[in-house]
Amino acid sequence: MADEPLVLEPADRQAELDTNTRWLSAGEEERGSLSVSEVVAAFERTAAALRARVRERGFAGAATFCVWHDEQAGQLRCSTVSAPPDALPFGGNHVTCDDLAPVVEGFLAENEPGFVDLAAPAGPDQVHSRTRETGTGAQGVPFAVWVSTVGASR
């Protein structure tokens, strides 16, 4: 991911979204063979590499690498945006965090990736994509977004 195309264009969030967002999924066997610490370390290395790339480009603005678990899609998603952590372009109810382990744990522990029982009561570990879109559903429970500052300023 750190070597993929990267767009940092504060005036064009859609171009950033289209270019910088990645969807990562894993089957049951793959999830069972991965450890939380391995996945966390890989994302931390990615953030460090992105930080170096942003610096090399001379981008002087705020930039944030973020990772979240899209439970409804059964994926970990990540993106780099030209915004500080407190101004991420999420339309839904989210909370930023500096501990990636719980986000990864939720992804790796899924029994049926991509299946969300919309009739079940939602707790903090059960967040639906529609919450991300509108702030509704899943009883408005925020989803966690791990953030790592990769830009020069906040």
Side-chain angles (χ1 to χ4, degrees):
M1 287 181 283
D3 296 326
E4 296 290 327
L6 178 65
V7 171
L8 295 173
E9 186 55 56
D12 192 349
R13 294 278 185 227
Q14 191 61 51
E16 288 184 348
L17 175 69
D18 293 344
T19 304
N20 301 343
T21 304
R22 303 285 180 261
W23 300 264
L24 308 167
S25 59
E28 185 177 342
E29 189 173 310
E30 290 173 296
R31 285 191 328 276
S33 70
L34 294 169
S35 73
V36 171
S37 61
E38 289 172 318
V39 176
V40 167
F43 278 118
E44 289 174 341
R45 286 190 305 272
T46 299
L50 285 167
R51 194 172 297 110
R53 280 184 70 192
V54 169
R55 190 175 320 120
E56 288 169 7
R57 289 176 141 194
F59 183 76
T64 304
F65 177 62
C66 51
V67 178
W68 65 100
H69 176 206
D70 185 325
E71 188 174 319
Q72 189 169 18
Q75 301 169 335
L76 277 178
R77 295 192 178 186
C78 61
S79 192
T80 305
V81 296
S82 58
D86 61 352
L88 297 177
F90 286 99
N93 190 7
H94 69 281
V95 61
T96 60
C97 62
D98 59 4
D99 185 1
L100 180 54
V103 175
V104 172
E105 285 171 358
F107 170 71
L108 293 178
E110 283 186 329
N111 291 328
E112 296 181 64
F115 175 78
V116 176
D117 182 359
L118 295 176
D125 61 338
Q126 188 176 23
V127 182
H128 310 302
S129 288
R130 68 179 183 197
T131 302
R132 295 175 182 90
E133 301 293 330
T134 65
T136 63
Q139 301 175 4
V141 176
F143 65 100
V145 180
W146 176 75
V147 294
S148 179
T149 301
V150 295
S153 68
R154 295 178 59 74

